[in-house]
Each structure stands twice: as C-alpha cells, then as structure tokens.
Amino acid sequence: MQQPSDPAGLAAGGIPIQLLRLISPTQPVGAFSYSRALEWAVHAGTVKDEASAACWIFGLIDHSYAALDGALFWRMAHALQEGDQASFLKADAWLSAARESREIEQEDRRMGESLLQILRELDVPAAQALADRRLGFPAAFALAAVHWRITPADALRGLLWSVIENQVTAAIRLVPLGHTAGQRILVASPPVIERAAQKAASLSDDEIGNAAPAMAMASAWHETQYSRLFRS
C-alpha cells in the first residue's frame, strides 16, 4: 500500500491524526481488559469515589508510569529514529525486568503482541522484521509512532493519555463513577500528562525506576482476588 506524503496525517492544528488512531479505544489491543491493579484498590476501599480515583490514577502516572514506562518509551522511540535496534530491544527488556507483578508483565506483553499483529497486518516493515520478538506495549507503540513519523514528544503524551483514559474507563465500571465524573478526571489530566512527559524525557538511566509500592502490592493481591472483572 502506498504511504501518504504526510504519514503522520497532520490536521490543520498540527495534531497527528495517526496518533489519535493509535490511542483510540477502538484500537483492538485489549486495553479494556486490564485495570492495572485498580480493581483491587476498589475492592479494598482505597478507591471509592471521584476524588480517590483521580488520586490513584494520577499517582500511577506520576510515580510509576512516568519514571519507568515513559522514560524507557522515550529511549525506545529515539533508538528507532536513529536505527539503533540493539538499544531499542535493550530498553524493552529493561522494562520487562522492572515489572512489579506477573499480571502487569502479562498485560504489557499481551497488548504488545496485539499491537504488533495489527502493525504486521498493516505492512509496517519494522513490525515484520521483529516477527520473532515478543515486545511490550510501549515498544510496539514506539514502532508504530516512528513508522508514522509521530515525534517522540507527541507519542509520549499520547501514550500517557491512553493510560489515563483506560484507567478512567475502568474506574467508571468499578467504583462505579458516573460518566461526568470520569470526564472531570480527564479534563483535569493535561497538567499531569505534561508533568509526566517532561519527567520521563529528562531522567537519566540511573534515575529510571518505579516508586509505586501500593500499586505493586495491589497488583500482586489482585492475582488471587476471589471475584474479578479485569485481568490485572
């Protein structure tokens, strides 16, 4: 299939349309199946209303995702831009080794496998070349972003948005929150995303690491939770 002259599909305002497609809830990667430990937090009463849901979700972004997933995604995207596959795969392996629980590792790998399969079916060369690899979701997202010439900065913010949106969707079902409450959390998220993106892009290798013990323990406890709607 012939690639368009503007692969990112920039709209008049400079928004990468291909990025909007990548972060859309209709992207069939199974994100709706996972809560990243939010289900246990609701079960335990830690998250019980709009305020506590926002605190949990934004805390996850600030203390976990920005400092680990986001920072390593930033390295993966730049490595791909520079044609450095070894550094790209090293960052993906680093992220896998840093996972806090079996469930979070499985969530990452299964969503990564799904996105890679989509990219292969869309004839993305980099995905075809890595057909024998099991990559995590941030790595697969980086492959897609670089293919469609989405800048690492835009892609990072889009990835952060997708995590928050999925968490809000899970909270609407679990707490439960009303849809308007969910929208209020999303409306409040841009400063959190911007702060997290700047943090992820500025960390040195020695500073990368997760600092969310409550989420890690909740994820481990979720593995034996007696009744579950979500897979993580």
Side-chain angles (χ1 to χ4, degrees), residues 95 99 104-112 135-138:
L95 182 56
R99 289 304 182 202
I104 294 178
E105 169 68 4
Q106 289 179 342
E107 170 186 344
D108 186 42
R109 291 296 167 189
R110 286 169 179 164
M111 286 177 58
L135 300 177
F137 184 71

Side-chain angles (χ1 to χ4, degrees), residues 1-231:
M1 180 181 296
Q2 184 177 3
Q3 293 296 321
S5 57
D6 178 14
L10 294 180
I15 300 172
I17 299 301
Q18 293 289 1
L19 177 59
L20 297 182
R21 182 180 59 75
L22 282 173
I23 65 175
S24 169
T26 63
Q27 182 84 281
V29 296
F32 65 89
S33 301
Y34 303 100
S35 79
R36 193 165 280 227
L38 178 60
E39 184 166 23
W40 189 90
V42 173
H43 170 75
T46 303
V47 175
K48 57 184 180 297
D49 53 22
E50 180 181 342
S52 56
C55 185
W56 178 275
I57 294 167
F58 293 160
L60 166 68
I61 295 298
D62 276 330
H63 302 297
S64 176
Y65 211 88
L68 184 62
D69 301 62
L72 291 171
F73 170 81
W74 184 253
R75 284 157 172 74
M76 286 185 248
H78 281 281
L80 288 171
Q81 282 190 327
E82 296 162 7
D84 186 351
Q85 186 178 97
S87 293
F88 167 74
L89 294 174
K90 178 182 177 181
D92 176 66
W94 183 350
L95 182 56
S96 177
R99 289 304 182 202
E100 303 89 337
S101 71
R102 179 178 62 88
E103 281 193 351
I104 294 178
E105 169 68 4
Q106 289 179 342
E107 170 186 344
D108 186 42
R109 291 296 167 189
R110 286 169 179 164
M111 286 177 58
E113 289 169 1
S114 297
L115 182 52
L116 276 175
Q117 182 60 34
I118 295 167
L119 297 178
R120 293 185 191 113
E121 292 174 358
L122 292 174
D123 299 320
V124 173
Q128 302 284 7
L130 291 168
D132 61 335
R133 295 277 185 172
R134 293 187 66 215
L135 300 177
F137 184 71
F141 196 93
L143 281 174
V146 171
H147 174 74
W148 279 294
R149 300 183 192 175
I150 300 165
T151 69
D154 284 340
L156 175 58
R157 286 161 176 80
L159 183 62
L160 290 164
W161 167 266
S162 71
V163 174
I164 290 177
E165 185 176 36
N166 187 60
Q167 285 280 289
V168 168
T169 300
I172 288 172
R173 294 171 62 186
L174 289 167
V175 175
L177 295 181
H179 286 278
T180 302
Q183 286 298 306
R184 279 194 292 266
I185 296 174
L186 292 174
V187 167
S189 70
V192 178
I193 291 173
E194 187 59 32
R195 182 171 65 245
Q198 292 181 10
K199 178 179 180 179
S202 65
L203 292 178
S204 67
D205 285 357
D206 290 341
E207 293 172 315
I208 294 175
N210 202 321
M215 189 271 287
M217 291 186 291
S219 177
W221 290 327
H222 184 263
E223 293 180 10
T224 58
Q225 188 171 325
Y226 76 94
S227 178
R228 304 190 302 179
L229 293 175
F230 293 85
R231 298 173 72 177

